[in-house]
């Protein structure tokens, strides 16, 4: 059963959406603690998110960016905002579709079914899952996972972007500027430290599955992948 997560702070609208979506056989959850939204997201692992823009503490644009760090599941914004810029912002921050309030239940369900088909159903089956491989190390881009010798570990979207770049450039150097552009992710500014932090995280993730010293720092230029794990097989 496919799981839908509703992120809506208006209790009446959340309940209305819950009843409508549940009626069509989906497993539905609504967020209660908006400060712990990502904890609920990781616990539920939804196939699709219905996301309001005006939320306590952080807005829906922020939470969509957080979701995109760990998942490619469809996100449909539902908001009373009707301006073109709001819809542009929703898409630019990682959303897949936008529904304005007041909404028609039929439109909501049609858009949910459409996005689920594209992500997991008949349309998704028309294209193969994207997997990048280098010497037995596999990067599953849609799953945000790396696999090696029967082990697998979850990674963030930024980490996946870096690993993908290093693999595609192998054995050449991946330049710092190109990597910074790759992990820009709609942020207003990404500095050098952002890249350094993410490279450190990638090294730690690789070490967790037994791959060490695989990323060389080329001073003043960027980073290069070395298939060090081949020598220990």
């Amino acid at each position: 059963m496919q799981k839908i997560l509703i992120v809506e702070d208006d209790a009446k609208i959340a309940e209305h959406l819950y009843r409508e979506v549940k009626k069509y056989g989906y497993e539905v959850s609504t967020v209660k603690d908006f400060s712990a939204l990502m904890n609920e997201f990781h616990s539920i692992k939804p196939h699709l998110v219905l996301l309001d823009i005006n939320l306590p503490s952080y807005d829906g644009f922020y939470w969509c960016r957080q979701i995109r760090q760990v998942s490619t599941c469809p996100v449909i914004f539902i908001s009373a905002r009707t301006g073109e810029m709001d819809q542009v912002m929703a898409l630019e921050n990682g959303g897949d579709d936008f529904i304005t309030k007041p909404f028609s239940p039929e439109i909501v369900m049609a858009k949910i079914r459409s996005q689920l088909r594209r992500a997991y159903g008949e349309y998704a089956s028309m294209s193969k899952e994207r997997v990048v491989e280098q010497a037995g190390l596999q990067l599953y881009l849609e799953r945000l996972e790396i696999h090696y010798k029967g082990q697998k570990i979850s990674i963030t979207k930024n980490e996946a972007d870096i690993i993908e770049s290093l693999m595609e450039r192998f054995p050449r150097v991946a330049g710092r500027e190109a990597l910074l552009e790759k992990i820009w992710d709609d942020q207003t500014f990404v500095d050098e430290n952002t890249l350094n932090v993410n490279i450190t995280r990638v090294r730690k993730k690789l070490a967790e599955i037994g791959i060490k010293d695989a990323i060389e720092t080329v001073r003043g230029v960027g980073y290069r992948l070395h298939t060090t794990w081949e020598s220990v097989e």
Side-chain angles (χ1 to χ4, degrees), residues 21-75:
V21 177
K22 187 81 172 176
K23 187 167 65 178
Y24 287 88
Y26 297 103
E27 183 178 331
V28 190
S29 301
T30 57
V31 171
K32 297 294 189 291
D33 183 359
F34 293 93
S35 65
L37 192 154
M38 291 309 296
N39 290 339
E40 295 198 40
F41 181 88
H42 287 296
S43 175
I44 295 165
K45 295 181 173 60
H47 294 89
L48 180 143
V49 178
L50 295 176
L51 180 62
D52 191 15
I53 295 176
N54 294 324
L55 295 168
S57 301
Y58 298 100
D59 64 21
F61 301 141
Y62 169 84
W63 288 119
C64 191
R65 292 197 300 273
Q66 301 310 300
I67 290 170
R68 284 291 170 258
Q69 291 291 314
V70 298
S71 175
T72 58
C73 78
V75 175

Side-chain angles (χ1 to χ4, degrees), residues 4-214:
I4 311 296
L5 179 62
I6 298 171
V7 186
E8 167 63 69
D9 65 332
D10 185 310
K12 289 184 179 179
I13 295 177
E15 178 62 24
H16 179 51
L17 283 168
Y18 179 92
R19 289 198 309 269
E20 286 296 326
V21 177
K22 187 81 172 176
K23 187 167 65 178
Y24 287 88
Y26 297 103
E27 183 178 331
V28 190
S29 301
T30 57
V31 171
K32 297 294 189 291
D33 183 359
F34 293 93
S35 65
L37 192 154
M38 291 309 296
N39 290 339
E40 295 198 40
F41 181 88
H42 287 296
S43 175
I44 295 165
K45 295 181 173 60
H47 294 89
L48 180 143
V49 178
L50 295 176
L51 180 62
D52 191 15
I53 295 176
N54 294 324
L55 295 168
S57 301
Y58 298 100
D59 64 21
F61 301 141
Y62 169 84
W63 288 119
C64 191
R65 292 197 300 273
Q66 301 310 300
I67 290 170
R68 284 291 170 258
Q69 291 291 314
V70 298
S71 175
T72 58
C73 78
V75 175
I76 301 177
F77 279 89
I78 297 184
S79 176
R81 298 187 186 183
T82 58
E84 288 186 1
M85 186 51 63
D86 292 307
Q87 298 188 40
V88 169
M89 287 287 290
L91 298 175
E92 289 292 333
N93 280 277
D96 296 283
D97 208 337
F98 193 100
I99 300 172
T100 57
K101 301 175 184 176
F103 51 80
S104 160
E106 290 77 15
I107 292 294
V108 173
M109 294 312 306
K111 286 181 177 285
I112 287 174
R113 288 192 292 267
S114 174
Q115 290 297 331
L116 290 174
R117 283 197 303 269
R118 291 178 186 277
Y120 315 105
E122 58 196 86
Y123 300 149
S125 63
M126 295 169 63
S127 59
K128 288 186 176 181
E129 182 176 9
R130 293 169 61 212
V131 182
V132 182
E133 182 172 359
Q134 191 62 245
L137 177 66
Q138 296 174 312
L139 167 64
Y140 286 79
L141 290 157
E142 275 78 23
R143 303 185 206 180
L144 292 177
E145 292 178 349
I146 47 177
H147 292 208
Y148 174 62
K149 295 180 71 173
Q151 304 175 82
K152 68 178 180 180
I153 192 166
S154 297
I155 55 177
T156 67
K157 184 178 181 299
N158 281 353
E159 291 164 358
D161 287 341
I162 288 171
I163 296 169
E164 180 186 17
S165 295
L166 291 170
M167 283 182 162
E168 289 182 343
R169 292 289 297 173
F170 177 84
R172 297 166 294 169
V173 174
R176 293 185 66 87
E177 291 300 320
L179 288 170
L180 282 167
E181 184 176 342
K182 185 82 170 176
I183 65 172
W184 191 270
D185 194 33
D186 298 314
Q187 298 177 44
T188 55
F189 179 70
V190 176
D191 60 16
E192 292 279 320
N193 188 56
T194 302
L195 178 58
N196 296 337
V197 168
N198 279 278
I199 288 288
T200 298
R201 288 175 179 167
V202 169
R203 284 172 169 151
K204 287 181 178 178
K205 291 287 178 71
L206 291 173
E208 287 182 41
I209 55 173
I211 296 176
K212 299 179 180 179
D213 304 320

